[in-house]
Amino acid sequence: DAPVAVRLRELVEVELMLPPEPVYEILFGDLADDTDAPLIAIPAQIGVDAPVRENEEARRILRDVVDYLVLHDLELFPCTEDWVVRVVDSEPVVLRRSGADTDIPLPLPESAPQVLGLGCSSEATAAAALADCIRMGPFVGELDSERAVEQFGRTARRLLELFDGHPKFVAYDPVSQARMNGVVKSIEAEPVPVDHHHAHVAAVMAEHGMLGPVVGLALDGPAPVVDYDLGRAVILEGTAAHMRPVEEVPGFRIPAANLAGRDSCRTALGLIHDVLGSREAARWGERFADSPMALHTALEMLASGADCTKVESFGRTMCAIAEIIQVECAPPVARSCGLGRVAGEVRDIDPGSLPPKELRTDALLGGILSEVFRRCRERRSAADTAAWALTSLVRGIGYRTARVAHDHGRSVVVAGGGGLAEPWVRHVLRRTLEEEGLDVFLSRNMPCGDAGIALGQVWSVVARES
């Protein structure tokens, strides 16, 4: 019944910023009826760069952006974002924690060493095993600038200072090593690399106090740019200490991959080309590419293999399918990689319309694309087509995971990764695996995406050394 709901009633999902502190109420309180009221943003932040904290920093960075600055006389620490929580299947699921709650009731073995986990450069968050529990630092965000890296380093070191921590090990993500190397070297501890997808699974194991063995499922969400090291092992097997890759989702190539995060059309074109062939890719590209020259160049890259990056990424696969559906089934709109947002509210899909459970994952992807094109030719709605495609994809991965679990004599599946922030993925995956007689563990009180990587790093090292 909120006034904003009347204006936004047609949208599937609405995000609102609520005032968490009295200062917001004070600053915004008298502006409601003033059409010339200024927009006041606290804390100030440009794009994904780190928030501005200090007065001099504000004068230097914001002088060409704002008309007025509200200054302060405080020592600010930590620099942190707010909580983000969403409801999935009537249960709250934490996507991001702030720095307001650093104590986590996650018990440690008596012999556990002190460990600092630095997470990764996306959704950067530190975590530390100190004394008898694991504590998480505040969410800092994307480390896309030297300022952000410096702030994150201060945050990690401050976490140790607050609890008199002297870590024996500092765990880091090899994918982010180049960007975070300075922070790693600033900690007087033995550096330990922990695989990105292993950490996703280990983070959920930490929340549930599990050491394994288990079958792990790492469903990364879509990243802003393609990373060569993330297109690997979706299905893993092992313990919190050591996991080995078993299988990935079917891969496809993206021409000029460094642009893929800003150009979903290239991602979709690469998927169609490598799954359905060059003729189908050319047909689709002629209708939806930005220009004939751009299409010709991209197809030449795919034909020759020049400047193409192959990815085996759950998130990128969802991005590509979402792009295809949004341009094929609906008039052009402002688009995103959110296949679940296109699908709308989670609902049951007719089981008879879904691919058979015995279908191999490589054949599954081709079948999904062919059916998507057929539905679009019949002018089916984008929402119904996306719901069918997403259910088919997650269900197929779930069945393959169940077969791996049974082959390895495992009864427990632990799933992590940013893809689990999507309600459709959580709902379909849990139902599929439970129907196969498996125990399924997902995150709930800890972040499932990259903001939880540090927790998984810490738990992995603790498991190895205890």
Side-chain angles (χ1 to χ4, degrees):
D1 297 325
V4 70
V6 177
R7 299 171 55 196
L8 305 178
R9 197 176 303 280
E10 299 303 316
L11 296 184
V12 171
E13 185 173 283
V14 177
E15 299 177 11
L16 301 177
M17 185 185 78
L18 305 179
E21 299 178 12
V23 67
Y24 287 83
E25 295 280 11
I26 295 170
L27 290 171
F28 283 100
D30 296 331
L31 304 180
D33 299 323
D34 188 347
T35 56
D36 296 322
L39 172 65
I40 302 175
I42 302 174
Q45 187 172 357
I46 300 177
V48 296
D49 197 6
V52 177
R53 303 167 70 246
E54 308 294 348
N55 291 338
E56 291 307 314
E57 201 175 44
R59 291 189 177 100
R60 174 169 50 86
I61 295 173
L62 302 176
R63 61 186 178 186
D64 297 327
V65 179
V66 303
D67 297 309
Y68 301 96
L69 292 170
V70 180
L71 303 180
H72 63 83
D73 58 356
L74 306 173
E75 280 192 40
L76 293 181
F77 188 90
C79 182
T80 179
E81 302 282 3
D82 295 321
W83 280 71
V84 178
V85 179
R86 82 186 310 165
V87 176
V88 181
D89 289 342
S90 302
E91 291 186 349
V93 175
V94 174
L95 303 186
R96 191 173 81 192
R97 301 172 71 99
S98 78
D101 183 16
T102 55
D103 286 338
I104 308 167
L106 299 180
L108 291 168
E110 291 184 5
S111 57
Q114 290 196 10
V115 183
L116 175 66
L118 294 178
C120 66
S121 58
S122 173
E123 303 181 21
T125 311
L130 305 171
D132 59 352
C133 71
I134 299 178
R135 306 175 190 272
M136 286 198 76
F139 178 96
V140 175
E142 310 298 318
L143 302 188
D144 286 339
S145 68
E146 291 185 7
R147 284 185 57 250
V149 173
E150 188 273 333
Q151 281 196 16
F152 177 67
R154 281 193 293 174
T155 299
R157 290 187 291 271
R158 180 62 171 165
L159 179 62
L160 298 177
E161 293 170 5
L162 285 172
F163 300 101
D164 193 27
H166 302 281
K168 182 178 180 180
F169 302 98
V170 53
Y172 65 92
D173 181 16
V175 173
S176 307
Q177 183 175 8
R179 193 167 299 172
M180 302 179 68
N181 204 36
V183 181
V184 174
K185 291 183 176 180
S186 71
I187 307 298
E188 295 183 2
E190 179 183 339
V192 179
V194 178
D195 176 76
H196 188 94
H197 286 177
H198 177 180
H200 271 313
V201 175
V204 183
M205 296 177 74
E207 179 175 347
H208 295 282
M210 303 170 63
L211 294 175
V214 302
V215 168
L217 195 55
L219 299 179
D220 258 317
V225 289
V226 173
D227 196 305
Y228 290 87
D229 294 317
L230 285 187
R232 297 180 293 110
V234 167
I235 304 177
L236 307 97
E237 187 273 333
T239 66
H242 299 284
M243 285 197 171
R244 66 181 187 88
V246 176
E247 196 167 306
E248 62 279 330
V249 295
F252 62 96
R253 296 168 301 151
I254 305 176
N258 61 312
L259 298 177
R262 299 188 297 274
D263 188 356
S264 297
C265 183
R266 291 177 181 267
T267 305
L269 189 71
L271 176 65
I272 297 170
H273 182 281
D274 286 0
V275 173
L276 298 182
S278 58
R279 180 177 298 180
E280 190 67 26
R283 181 201 69 80
W284 187 82
E286 286 172 0
R287 298 173 60 196
F288 302 113
D290 292 337
S291 69
M293 180 60 71
L295 173 62
H296 176 76
T297 301
L299 291 175
E300 284 293 314
M301 289 179 179
L302 288 166
S304 65
D307 196 19
C308 290
T309 299
K310 184 176 181 180
V311 295
E312 296 98 2
S313 164
F314 176 76
R316 278 289 142 205
T317 302
M318 286 206 304
C319 267
I321 296 174
E323 175 72 6
I324 294 167
I325 290 173
Q326 288 173 106
V327 299
E328 285 268 2
C329 295
V333 293
R335 301 192 295 273
S336 71
C337 291
L339 185 58
R341 294 191 179 194
V342 181
E345 186 177 353
V346 177
R347 55 196 182 278
D348 290 333
I349 304 299
D350 176 19
S353 72
L354 297 170
K357 61 185 293 185
E358 298 81 10
L359 200 63
R360 288 172 52 89
T361 47
D362 52 355
L364 171 69
L365 199 50
I368 289 174
L369 288 184
S370 297
E371 178 65 10
V372 163
F373 285 130
R374 188 188 71 79
R375 287 169 176 252
C376 290
R377 287 194 297 270
E378 293 180 355
R379 309 308 299 168
R380 302 277 192 96
S381 73
D384 288 345
T385 303
W388 179 91
L390 187 50
T391 301
S392 298
L393 178 62
V394 177
R395 185 172 175 263
I397 292 174
Y399 282 137
R400 182 57 194 157
T401 303
R403 287 195 293 273
V404 169
H406 295 319
D407 290 345
H408 287 81
R410 307 287 183 236
S411 61
V412 176
V413 174
V414 177
L420 274 300
E422 169 56 59
W424 271 97
V425 176
R426 298 179 75 98
H427 176 82
V428 175
L429 183 66
R430 181 186 290 278
R431 172 176 289 189
T432 301
L433 293 174
E434 288 180 345
E435 287 176 354
E436 292 297 296
L438 297 167
D439 296 325
V440 186
F441 291 86
L442 309 175
S443 66
R444 180 176 176 184
N445 296 317
M446 301 306 303
C448 59
D450 284 355
I453 284 285
L455 176 60
Q457 292 169 342
V458 169
W459 193 248
S460 175
V461 176
V462 166
R464 295 180 201 180
E465 300 295 328
S466 297

